[in-house]
Amino acid sequence: MSGGRAEEKLRELEKKIGYTFRDFSLLKRAMMHSSYTNEHHLPKYECNERLEFLGDAVLELVSSEYLFRSFPHTPEGELTRTRASMVCEPSLALCAADIGLGGYLLLGKGEDATGGRLRDSVTSDAMEALIGAVYMDGGFTNAKEFIHRFVLTDLEDKKLFYDSKTILQEMVQAEKTGGITYRLTGEEGPDHNKTFLVEVWVGGRCLGKGKGRSKKAAEQQAAYRAILRLRKQG
C-alpha cells in the first residue's frame, strides 16, 4: 500500500469510527504491525505494541467501571470472569471485524500473504492499540466513548457467540434431542492460509454450518447458527 493510499484508507477509518485524530501519526502507528516495521527497517518501538499496552489498561478500566455500575449486586469474582470474557482475544477480534479493522492494517508482505488481516491475535491487538491511540490523542472521555460504542455493545450476542458450543450442549441436553457431532466437511485455500468448513449435527439433523481459520472457530460458528435455528423453532 503506497503512502498516499495508506493515508486515504486511514482517513476512511476515522470516518467509520467517528473520531478525527489531531495527531494523525498516532492512528498510523496503531495500525502498524511489527511485521511492517521489520520489513521497512523501522525501529521496533514504532509498531503498535506500545499503544496496545496502553489501550489494554484503558479498556480494562472502562469495562470494569461499566460492570461495576451495571451490576451493583454482583460479587467481585463474577465481575472479574465477565470482564475477562468481554476483553478476551476472540471478543476483541469480533469487535475489530465489526469495523473491518483488518483492512486498514499496515502489515509486512509475508504476514499479509498468510492471512494476518483475518488473524484474531493481530486484529484484537490492533483494536487495543486503536483504543490507546484515541486515549493519547483525545483523552479518557473520547477513549471511553469509543469503547462503549465499539466494544461494550451487543454483549449478549457476543457472549452467545463465544460460548456457543457450551450453550448448544446445554440446550440439547435439556431437550434430550440426541448427541452433538461436529463434522469437518472441507478445507479451502493453501496450507498457510486455510479455511475450515464444519457442520454440526444433532440427533441425525444438520443444524448449522460454519467456516473459520481454525476447526475450533468453524465449530463455534456452526454452533452459533444451530442455536439461532433452535431458538427460532422453539
Side-chain angles (χ1 to χ4, degrees), residues 134-168:
V134 172
Y135 173 78
M136 283 301 292
D137 191 72
F140 185 72
T141 304
N142 282 301
K144 182 176 176 178
E145 195 176 295
F146 175 88
I147 291 165
H148 274 266
R149 187 173 167 198
F150 295 107
V151 181
L152 304 179
T153 52
D154 302 326
L155 287 178
E156 277 307 307
D157 199 45
K158 282 174 185 155
K159 187 174 186 336
L160 181 64
F161 183 78
Y162 39 75
D163 289 343
S164 56
K165 290 180 74 175
T166 308
I167 292 167
L168 180 62

Side-chain angles (χ1 to χ4, degrees), residues 34-83:
S34 55
S35 62
Y36 182 93
T37 54
N38 290 343
E39 195 173 281
H40 290 79
H41 309 293
L42 298 168
K44 177 83 165 94
Y45 61 76
E46 286 200 15
C47 78
N48 65 4
E49 289 171 5
R50 282 167 51 83
L51 282 172
E52 177 205 330
F53 159 79
L54 183 62
D56 175 60
V58 177
L59 176 59
E60 186 155 308
L61 176 58
V62 173
S63 54
S64 299
E65 184 198 18
Y66 169 81
L67 291 171
F68 185 84
R69 291 182 186 280
S70 302
F71 305 101
H73 306 297
T74 303
E76 175 268 346
E78 200 175 319
L79 292 177
T80 301
R81 283 191 295 278
T82 304
R83 183 184 63 197

Side-chain angles (χ1 to χ4, degrees), residues 183-188 194-199 210-212 215 218:
R183 296 181 187 171
L184 181 66
T185 57
E187 298 175 8
E188 294 173 349
K194 219 178 255 310
T195 298
F196 296 92
L197 309 174
V198 165
E199 291 178 351
K211 64 194 306 189
K215 288 175 192 168

Side-chain angles (χ1 to χ4, degrees), residues 56 59 81-95 120 124 128 151 162-163:
D56 175 60
L59 176 59
R81 283 191 295 278
T82 304
R83 183 184 63 197
S85 72
M86 281 161 55
V87 300
C88 68
E89 186 182 287
S91 172
L92 289 178
L94 216 56
C95 299
D120 282 5
S124 62
E128 287 183 330
V151 181
Y162 39 75
D163 289 343

Side-chain angles (χ1 to χ4, degrees), residues 1 5-6 9-10 12-13 16 31 96-97 99-107 112 116-118 123:
M1 207 187 291
R5 176 75 183 119
K9 286 282 288 177
L10 292 178
E12 188 185 291
L13 177 58
K16 196 175 269 191
M31 294 299 103
I99 56 174
L101 201 58
Y104 301 98
L105 293 173
L106 296 166
L107 298 175
D112 204 354
R117 291 185 190 282
L118 297 171
T123 58

